[in-house]
Amino acid sequence: MVLDLIKPFKEQRGVTVIVVALLILVFIGFAALAIDIGHLFVVRNELQNAADAGCLAGARFLYRYSDDGMAVNENSNQVAYQAAIANMSDQVPVDVHWSGGNDGDVERGHWCFATRIFTPNASTEPVNLWDVSAEELDANPNFVNAIRVKTRRQDTPSASFFARVFGYENFSLSTEAIAYVGFTGTLAPQEVDQPIAVCKESLLVNGQYTCSIGRMITNNQNVAGQEAGGWTDFNQDSACLTGTNAETVRSLICGGGNPEPIILGQPIATHGGYIEFAHGMLRDCWQIFTGETQPWTLTLPVIECPGNSVDSCASVVGAVTIKVVWVTPWEEDPSYSEAPWQMENPRTGTTWSSNDPDGQVRWNSFVQNFNLQNVDGSPVPYQRRGVYFLPDCNYHQPKGRTGGENFGVMAKIPVLAR
């Protein structure tokens, strides 16, 4: 009787051994899966880092600049390739299938933000950055602005650990990254020339950055609806809300530019009216640098000025290079005695001049030749403490970090698009 009671328990112990053995195999499988998946994530991250490094390095040299303009640099592919293969994945050099040109795993091309599509393009021709909208540039596949790099572990697949028990000896992996070069956004110290900010609204015509119209910044008074820019002390901390420090502005005129980075998208202290002695100092600097016969080239931050009025705290949206063609005196000049006699026109490469003894006649000719307009389209007046400038549509050495709006200045530092 007792033996009959014990027998079922003996049979259950046998079943338990079988179940435990099966569970051990399952646990081993899960352990193998966890270890190999974790390892693959590490390998893939290293591949991604290599692709990121390659495309960022290549995009840093995507353009070459010369007196003839901005052309796409064919050697940027080589730079990207060398930077990518310098990286390791699982202590093995990454694979990059590229042997030259613009084919394979290293490609120049156009990155479109609207579609988030990269289109390879081997063109080295520059594309005009002015008199086109941001949407038109974004949709133009001939605007080469990015580099794509693919990295692989296919020639040397990543070995598995426990997964080989299930027939997986190794794993082939690949990944890619795209870096693009946009327009100047955040600016490094000394990348801005003078303590002046230009209104975005004065640079755009029908939403396009244009060089066909010149503007006037008045340092006399802040006229709502007519402002093209104003003073700035580059201050972007909480003190921005209290206005621009006049002493700081004076100390920055003809100095070394912005002492600290100018951060894109953050407010900056601005002043659209008169700062004592500042305009006179600026005019002296202009006269020294130009002799009053050549334009004065300046790179300045661009700010938002809703309603064409300079607020005490305006948001930075990019940077622009301008040509200052005249600066009027700080005092009233009703007889136009300080009106220009001659000035090189950077648009035409010719020199405008007038020998008319009547200063007002000279001024009217000057305004017409350089197409200087108020934001309402009327000719700019001859006004004391005025800075008259043309937006510059030449190619410039890049400045700052990618992210700003298009005012004709490409960025020096690319960013990852994907």
Side-chain angles (χ1 to χ4, degrees), residues 336-399:
Y336 291 77
S337 61
E338 296 291 331
W341 295 86
Q342 71 176 52
M343 175 59 62
E344 179 183 313
N345 190 328
R347 293 196 192 112
T348 63
T350 61
T351 298
W352 166 89
S353 64
S354 173
N355 293 321
D356 198 300
D358 188 329
Q360 187 170 3
V361 172
R362 295 198 309 274
W363 179 255
N364 291 338
S365 174
F366 176 77
V367 169
Q368 183 178 10
N369 184 270
F370 289 90
N371 196 20
L372 300 172
Q373 299 181 13
N374 292 317
V375 292
D376 63 4
S378 61
V380 297
Y382 182 75
Q383 180 174 306
R384 66 172 177 164
R385 303 173 188 152
V387 178
Y388 302 84
F389 70 89
L390 307 177
D392 190 13
C393 281
N394 293 309
Y395 292 105
H396 315 289
Q397 288 290 334
K399 293 178 181 289

Side-chain angles (χ1 to χ4, degrees), residues 60 181-189 191 262 319 397-404 409-414:
R60 177 69 176 80
V181 182
F183 300 100
T184 300
T186 294
L187 291 148
E191 288 192 318
I262 298 176
Q397 288 290 334
K399 293 178 181 289
R401 181 181 177 86
T402 292
V409 184
M410 298 297 294
K412 178 167 58 177
I413 302 174

Side-chain angles (χ1 to χ4, degrees), residues 17-67:
V17 170
I18 294 173
V19 171
V20 170
L22 290 174
L23 288 175
I24 289 174
L25 289 176
V26 172
F27 291 147
I28 290 174
F30 277 122
L33 186 65
I35 292 173
D36 278 313
I37 287 178
H39 177 243
L40 290 178
F41 270 111
V42 171
V43 173
R44 184 175 178 81
N45 285 339
E46 290 172 336
L47 281 176
Q48 188 66 61
N49 291 339
D52 292 350
C55 65
L56 285 169
R60 177 69 176 80
F61 293 92
L62 185 58
Y63 303 113
R64 52 182 176 82
Y65 297 81
S66 66
D67 294 338

Side-chain angles (χ1 to χ4, degrees), residues 125-141:
E125 296 300 316
V127 171
N128 282 347
L129 306 177
W130 34 88
D131 295 321
V132 293
S133 66
E135 291 76 17
E136 288 172 324
L137 272 179
D138 191 45
N140 183 3

